[in-house]
Amino acid sequence: MEDRKVLLTGGNLLQAHTWKGLLETNGITVELTGEALVGGVGELPAEMQTVDLWVNQNQLEQAQTILESHDMDRPEWQCLHCHEMNDGSFELCWQCSSPQSTPHN
């Protein structure tokens, strides 16, 4: 997929596949990355244990609209600075105020 962007980072495999199916049903091309690394919990750094949904840049806005229209909860995310877990609705870490970042962008 050329010119792609991360739509969502985090969540679990079940959530990721649910979102992927919803988007593909609506004609959005989706690629999941990181699902093979989820089994490395405790062995790999936390920032490597995320599942990311990638979409073509020209479909990003449409994909965001679809997820918002289905009132999809955003997954929790782990701060890359202090490793604290944060609610998906937070843009800043509640512990250290670092911005939510996606290491793949």
Side-chain angles (χ1 to χ4, degrees):
M1 290 169 61
E2 293 184 27
D3 296 326
R4 60 189 184 145
K5 290 287 187 182
V6 174
L7 175 64
L8 290 171
T9 297
N12 60 47
L13 285 177
L14 181 58
Q15 286 176 323
H17 280 281
T18 300
W19 293 327
K20 182 177 188 267
L22 173 65
L23 293 170
E24 288 177 338
T25 299
N26 285 279
I28 306 287
T29 304
V30 180
E31 180 182 346
L32 285 179
T33 61
E35 60 186 321
L37 298 175
V38 173
V41 172
E43 300 294 324
L44 295 172
E47 61 268 14
M48 291 183 67
Q49 299 171 27
T50 62
V51 179
D52 301 331
L53 273 78
W54 292 80
V55 297
N56 290 331
Q57 185 167 349
N58 62 352
Q59 294 180 312
L60 180 63
E61 208 171 299
Q62 181 185 2
Q64 290 169 331
T65 301
I66 290 168
L67 292 183
E68 288 171 8
S69 71
H70 283 81
D71 197 26
M72 303 296 279
D73 290 331
R74 304 218 12 101
E76 286 188 337
W77 57 276
Q78 188 169 28
C79 178
L80 296 178
H81 183 259
C82 72
H83 306 292
E84 188 66 34
M85 293 302 295
N86 292 275
D87 186 82
S89 63
F90 294 174
E91 293 181 9
L92 299 176
C93 175
W94 72 269
Q95 179 72 26
C96 71
S97 299
S98 292
Q100 180 181 2
S101 60
T102 53
H104 302 291
N105 273 355

